[in-house]
PDB file of all heavy atoms in Angstrom:
ATOM      1  N   ALA Q 130     -20.357  41.573 -37.054  1.00 89.00           N
ATOM      2  CA  ALA Q 130     -19.431  41.033 -38.052  1.00 89.00           C
ATOM      3  C   ALA Q 130     -20.105  39.974 -38.913  1.00 89.00           C
ATOM      4  O   ALA Q 130     -19.927  39.943 -40.134  1.00 89.00           O
ATOM      5  CB  ALA Q 130     -18.197  40.449 -37.362  1.00 89.00           C
ATOM      6  N   ASP Q 131     -20.889  39.099 -38.282  1.00 91.00           N
ATOM      7  CA  ASP Q 131     -21.589  38.055 -39.036  1.00 91.00           C
ATOM      8  C   ASP Q 131     -22.532  38.670 -40.061  1.00 91.00           C
ATOM      9  O   ASP Q 131     -22.535  38.283 -41.239  1.00 91.00           O
ATOM     10  CB  ASP Q 131     -22.385  37.156 -38.081  1.00 91.00           C
ATOM     11  CG  ASP Q 131     -21.484  36.355 -37.157  1.00 91.00           C
ATOM     12  OD1 ASP Q 131     -20.299  36.171 -37.507  1.00 91.00           O
ATOM     13  OD2 ASP Q 131     -21.955  35.915 -36.094  1.00 91.00           O
ATOM     14  N   CYS Q 132     -23.343  39.613 -39.629  1.00 91.00           N
ATOM     15  CA  CYS Q 132     -24.331  40.219 -40.529  1.00 91.00           C
ATOM     16  C   CYS Q 132     -23.663  40.988 -41.657  1.00 91.00           C
ATOM     17  O   CYS Q 132     -24.037  40.848 -42.829  1.00 91.00           O
ATOM     18  CB  CYS Q 132     -25.257  41.137 -39.749  1.00 91.00           C
ATOM     19  SG  CYS Q 132     -26.318  40.306 -38.543  1.00 91.00           S
ATOM     20  N   GLN Q 133     -22.671  41.803 -41.323  1.00 91.00           N
ATOM     21  CA  GLN Q 133     -22.021  42.604 -42.354  1.00 91.00           C
ATOM     22  C   GLN Q 133     -21.337  41.729 -43.387  1.00 91.00           C
ATOM     23  O   GLN Q 133     -21.467  41.960 -44.589  1.00 91.00           O
ATOM     24  CB  GLN Q 133     -21.007  43.548 -41.711  1.00 91.00           C
ATOM     25  CG  GLN Q 133     -21.641  44.695 -40.964  1.00 91.00           C
ATOM     26  CD  GLN Q 133     -20.605  45.605 -40.325  1.00 91.00           C
ATOM     27  OE1 GLN Q 133     -19.425  45.264 -40.257  1.00 91.00           O
ATOM     28  NE2 GLN Q 133     -21.034  46.751 -39.835  1.00 91.00           N
ATOM     29  N   TYR Q 134     -20.626  40.705 -42.934  1.00 92.00           N
ATOM     30  CA  TYR Q 134     -19.881  39.868 -43.880  1.00 92.00           C
ATOM     31  C   TYR Q 134     -20.822  39.102 -44.802  1.00 92.00           C
ATOM     32  O   TYR Q 134     -20.680  39.130 -46.025  1.00 92.00           O
ATOM     33  CB  TYR Q 134     -18.973  38.897 -43.125  1.00 92.00           C
ATOM     34  CG  TYR Q 134     -18.230  37.971 -44.069  1.00 92.00           C
ATOM     35  CD1 TYR Q 134     -17.068  38.397 -44.702  1.00 92.00           C
ATOM     36  CD2 TYR Q 134     -18.706  36.695 -44.338  1.00 92.00           C
ATOM     37  CE1 TYR Q 134     -16.389  37.568 -45.583  1.00 92.00           C
ATOM     38  CE2 TYR Q 134     -18.048  35.857 -45.225  1.00 92.00           C
ATOM     39  CZ  TYR Q 134     -16.887  36.292 -45.835  1.00 92.00           C
ATOM     40  OH  TYR Q 134     -16.222  35.480 -46.714  1.00 92.00           O
ATOM     41  N   TRP Q 135     -21.798  38.414 -44.227  1.00 94.00           N
ATOM     42  CA  TRP Q 135     -22.628  37.536 -45.043  1.00 94.00           C
ATOM     43  C   TRP Q 135     -23.612  38.303 -45.912  1.00 94.00           C
ATOM     44  O   TRP Q 135     -23.956  37.852 -47.008  1.00 94.00           O
ATOM     45  CB  TRP Q 135     -23.349  36.532 -44.160  1.00 94.00           C
ATOM     46  CG  TRP Q 135     -22.430  35.495 -43.602  1.00 94.00           C
ATOM     47  CD1 TRP Q 135     -22.117  35.283 -42.301  1.00 94.00           C
ATOM     48  CD2 TRP Q 135     -21.662  34.538 -44.342  1.00 94.00           C
ATOM     49  NE1 TRP Q 135     -21.205  34.259 -42.182  1.00 94.00           N
ATOM     50  CE2 TRP Q 135     -20.913  33.784 -43.418  1.00 94.00           C
ATOM     51  CE3 TRP Q 135     -21.535  34.255 -45.711  1.00 94.00           C
ATOM     52  CZ2 TRP Q 135     -20.062  32.765 -43.807  1.00 94.00           C
ATOM     53  CZ3 TRP Q 135     -20.677  33.232 -46.095  1.00 94.00           C
ATOM     54  CH2 TRP Q 135     -19.951  32.504 -45.151  1.00 94.00           C
ATOM     55  N   GLU Q 136     -24.047  39.464 -45.476  1.00 93.00           N
ATOM     56  CA  GLU Q 136     -24.933  40.246 -46.341  1.00 93.00           C
ATOM     57  C   GLU Q 136     -24.158  40.894 -47.477  1.00 93.00           C
ATOM     58  O   GLU Q 136     -24.694  41.063 -48.578  1.00 93.00           O
ATOM     59  CB  GLU Q 136     -25.695  41.283 -45.518  1.00 93.00           C
ATOM     60  CG  GLU Q 136     -26.736  40.638 -44.609  1.00 93.00           C
ATOM     61  CD  GLU Q 136     -27.639  41.645 -43.930  1.00 93.00           C
ATOM     62  OE1 GLU Q 136     -28.009  42.649 -44.565  1.00 93.00           O
ATOM     63  OE2 GLU Q 136     -27.971  41.430 -42.753  1.00 93.00           O
ATOM     64  N   ARG Q 137     -22.929  41.260 -47.249  1.00 93.00           N
ATOM     65  CA  ARG Q 137     -22.101  41.735 -48.359  1.00 93.00           C
ATOM     66  C   ARG Q 137     -21.765  40.596 -49.315  1.00 93.00           C
ATOM     67  O   ARG Q 137     -21.699  40.787 -50.537  1.00 93.00           O
ATOM     68  CB  ARG Q 137     -20.823  42.380 -47.823  1.00 93.00           C
ATOM     69  CG  ARG Q 137     -21.079  43.738 -47.175  1.00 93.00           C
ATOM     70  CD  ARG Q 137     -19.868  44.283 -46.470  1.00 93.00           C
ATOM     71  NE  ARG Q 137     -20.139  45.578 -45.868  1.00 93.00           N
ATOM     72  CZ  ARG Q 137     -19.334  46.204 -45.033  1.00 93.00           C
ATOM     73  NH1 ARG Q 137     -18.180  45.630 -44.697  1.00 93.00           N
ATOM     74  NH2 ARG Q 137     -19.670  47.378 -44.527  1.00 93.00           N
ATOM     75  N   HIS Q 138     -21.555  39.424 -48.766  1.00 94.00           N
ATOM     76  CA  HIS Q 138     -21.355  38.246 -49.626  1.00 94.00           C
ATOM     77  C   HIS Q 138     -22.617  37.977 -50.441  1.00 94.00           C
ATOM     78  O   HIS Q 138     -22.530  37.628 -51.632  1.00 94.00           O
ATOM     79  CB  HIS Q 138     -21.011  37.039 -48.759  1.00 94.00           C
ATOM     80  CG  HIS Q 138     -20.858  35.762 -49.532  1.00 94.00           C
ATOM     81  ND1 HIS Q 138     -19.847  35.570 -50.448  1.00 94.00           N
ATOM     82  CD2 HIS Q 138     -21.594  34.613 -49.532  1.00 94.00           C
ATOM     83  CE1 HIS Q 138     -19.957  34.366 -50.979  1.00 94.00           C
ATOM     84  NE2 HIS Q 138     -21.010  33.768 -50.442  1.00 94.00           N
ATOM     85  N   LEU Q 139     -23.778  38.151 -49.827  1.00 95.00           N
ATOM     86  CA  LEU Q 139     -25.035  37.999 -50.562  1.00 95.00           C
ATOM     87  C   LEU Q 139     -25.106  39.011 -51.709  1.00 95.00           C
ATOM     88  O   LEU Q 139     -25.599  38.687 -52.795  1.00 95.00           O
ATOM     89  CB  LEU Q 139     -26.218  38.186 -49.616  1.00 95.00           C
ATOM     90  CG  LEU Q 139     -27.610  38.155 -50.261  1.00 95.00           C
ATOM     91  CD1 LEU Q 139     -27.887  36.802 -50.904  1.00 95.00           C
ATOM     92  CD2 LEU Q 139     -28.682  38.481 -49.233  1.00 95.00           C
ATOM     93  N   GLY Q 140     -24.642  40.227 -51.496  1.00 94.00           N
ATOM     94  CA  GLY Q 140     -24.610  41.211 -52.571  1.00 94.00           C
ATOM     95  C   GLY Q 140     -23.772  40.753 -53.747  1.00 94.00           C
ATOM     96  O   GLY Q 140     -24.146  40.968 -54.912  1.00 94.00           O
ATOM     97  N   ARG Q 141     -22.647  40.093 -53.475  1.00 94.00           N
ATOM     98  CA  ARG Q 141     -21.811  39.565 -54.565  1.00 94.00           C
ATOM     99  C   ARG Q 141     -22.540  38.460 -55.324  1.00 94.00           C
ATOM    100  O   ARG Q 141     -22.502  38.400 -56.557  1.00 94.00           O
ATOM    101  CB  ARG Q 141     -20.488  39.054 -54.003  1.00 94.00           C
ATOM    102  CG  ARG Q 141     -19.577  40.142 -53.463  1.00 94.00           C
ATOM    103  CD  ARG Q 141     -18.179  39.627 -53.202  1.00 94.00           C
ATOM    104  NE  ARG Q 141     -18.141  38.705 -52.077  1.00 94.00           N
ATOM    105  CZ  ARG Q 141     -17.923  39.065 -50.832  1.00 94.00           C
ATOM    106  NH1 ARG Q 141     -17.744  40.342 -50.533  1.00 94.00           N
ATOM    107  NH2 ARG Q 141     -17.878  38.169 -49.869  1.00 94.00           N
TER     108      ARG Q 141
END
Side-chain angles (χ1 to χ4, degrees):
D131 294 338
C132 294
Q133 287 179 348
Y134 177 82
W135 288 116
E136 290 188 38
R137 287 172 180 170
H138 177 66
L139 176 62
R141 292 192 290 269

